[in-house]
Amino acid sequence: MKPLAADEITGVWGTLLLPVEGRGDIGWDRLASQLDALLTSGVDGIYAHGTAGEFHAVDEAEFDRVSALLAQRCEAAGLPYQIGASHPATPVALGRIRRAAALRPGAVQVILPDWVPLNDDEVVRFLTGAAETAGDVPLVLYNPPHAKTQVSPSLLARLAADVPPLVGVKMAGGDDAWYAAMTDAVPRLSIFVPGHLLASGLARGAHGSYSNIAAMSPRGAVAWYRLMTTDPATAADVERRIGEFFARHIAPLQSRGLSNPALDKFLATVGGWADIGVTLRWPASSAPADAVDPARADAHRLLPELFPA
């Protein structure tokens, strides 16, 4: 696949989630079926090995097998794809970047080294090395709120200037001042924000989402994105109702200490579009299965736009 430019990284991207079986094995047939469902859902692209894909809980052979499956199926379908090549340990991350780039994805996603915080020079040094390792495959920086090193708009501006292969970022978003600062600092980068905040984010300058709403309903997330361009008022109301759903069914799970991967698998099970299940790999805690049916009933009642026939 050709390298993606920043202006080609837009819209709703779906993620691969690991179906876990038995004593923690990946259900490879279930993973392939999930990928087939994503390929026909209308999403603008697919990625693997994000937080929701439990990149931190796969070994290197599993990493390569997931990456190869994604590359093969997306290349055959002509759908853009990205491979997350992240790891908290820098040498392992560089190895993942090298092997991911060899598969020729549209971009490689990376996190910053995550055991100790980095200063600005170290951030530039790491991304420069990551770009050199990836060759002509561009980079997307994933900088979530729990990252030890938080990248400001001003540091992003330096990165955009010093590391030209950096074409996009995935961040938590912010208020009007944050969006204004990002627009001024990095006008050439693709800015992706959380899926459940995409309507308000798009209105303030974001370009798309590696989407937790696509985790719940890929077709529904695409339909909602189309509403953002044709009927912004209705799209904004959908976002308000998503917030209501999250307050009822996601916030209580967060308050129990469940991780984002657990919440995304829970959303996928609520959506029921693929056989994924709520189970995470050891030692992580999973969402309770008995919470799925009440959440599913509320999701269909509150958010019919996300469940097209």
Side-chain angles (χ1 to χ4, degrees), residues 166-230:
L166 181 66
V167 294
V169 293
K170 177 186 179 183
M171 306 183 87
D175 57 15
D176 289 340
W178 183 85
Y179 278 99
M182 288 288 286
T183 301
D184 290 342
V186 287
R188 76 164 184 85
L189 295 188
S190 171
I191 300 169
F192 269 40
V193 296
H196 60 288
L197 301 175
L198 183 53
S200 57
L202 201 69
R204 293 188 286 182
H207 302 100
S209 176
Y210 302 112
S211 175
N212 57 351
I213 300 303
M216 179 164 68
S217 173
R219 291 184 184 275
V222 171
W224 182 36
Y225 180 69
R226 303 294 176 252
L227 268 181
M228 295 174 204
T229 62
T230 60

Side-chain angles (χ1 to χ4, degrees), residues 87-90 111-118 148-149:
H87 194 280
T90 305
I111 61 169
L112 299 174
D114 204 47
W115 184 242
V116 294
L118 306 184
K148 288 191 176 69
T149 303

Side-chain angles (χ1 to χ4, degrees), residues 19-298:
V20 175
E21 299 179 342
R23 297 178 62 85
D25 294 334
I26 296 171
W28 294 103
D29 289 343
R30 293 163 63 198
L31 185 70
S33 296
Q34 177 195 158
L35 180 52
D36 288 341
L38 281 172
L39 286 168
T40 59
S41 68
V43 294
D44 295 287
I46 304 174
Y47 66 104
H49 304 307
T51 300
E54 299 175 82
F55 74 84
H56 54 283
V58 297
D59 65 27
E60 298 312 285
E62 291 167 333
F63 174 88
D64 290 343
R65 186 171 174 179
V66 172
S67 300
L69 176 67
L70 177 71
Q72 178 185 27
R73 297 290 180 92
C74 288
E75 289 282 2
L79 188 70
Y81 66 99
Q82 298 178 27
I83 297 175
S86 301
H87 194 280
T90 305
V92 181
L94 291 178
R96 288 186 173 188
I97 292 167
R98 185 177 299 109
R99 302 196 310 277
L103 294 170
R104 313 302 299 164
V108 167
Q109 299 177 9
V110 297
I111 61 169
L112 299 174
D114 204 47
W115 184 242
V116 294
L118 306 184
N119 63 41
D120 288 2
D121 290 342
E122 291 166 337
V123 171
V124 174
R125 194 176 302 135
F126 172 77
L127 282 181
T128 298
E132 291 171 350
T133 302
D136 62 352
V137 178
L139 299 182
V140 170
L141 174 63
Y142 177 32
N143 191 229
H146 59 268
K148 288 191 176 69
T149 303
Q150 290 296 305
V151 178
S152 66
S154 60
L155 178 53
L156 270 178
R158 180 180 170 187
L159 291 170
D162 291 355
V163 190
L166 181 66
V167 294
V169 293
K170 177 186 179 183
M171 306 183 87
D175 57 15
D176 289 340
W178 183 85
Y179 278 99
M182 288 288 286
T183 301
D184 290 342
V186 287
R188 76 164 184 85
L189 295 188
S190 171
I191 300 169
F192 269 40
V193 296
H196 60 288
L197 301 175
L198 183 53
S200 57
L202 201 69
R204 293 188 286 182
H207 302 100
S209 176
Y210 302 112
S211 175
N212 57 351
I213 300 303
M216 179 164 68
S217 173
R219 291 184 184 275
V222 171
W224 182 36
Y225 180 69
R226 303 294 176 252
L227 268 181
M228 295 174 204
T229 62
T230 60
D231 189 351
T234 298
D237 188 62
V238 173
E239 184 173 304
R240 179 191 63 78
R241 285 180 274 128
I242 289 173
E244 183 178 344
F245 172 79
F246 273 42
R248 292 185 182 190
H249 296 284
I250 301 302
L253 298 178
Q254 285 178 311
S255 70
R256 291 166 58 173
L258 290 181
S259 64
N260 285 341
L263 300 178
D264 284 333
K265 279 191 172 177
F266 176 74
L267 287 172
T269 306
V270 167
W273 56 275
D275 180 14
I276 296 167
V278 296
T279 304
L280 268 66
R281 300 197 97 176
W282 181 89
S285 299
S286 305
D290 61 6
V292 170
D293 284 344
R296 181 177 292 152
D298 263 1

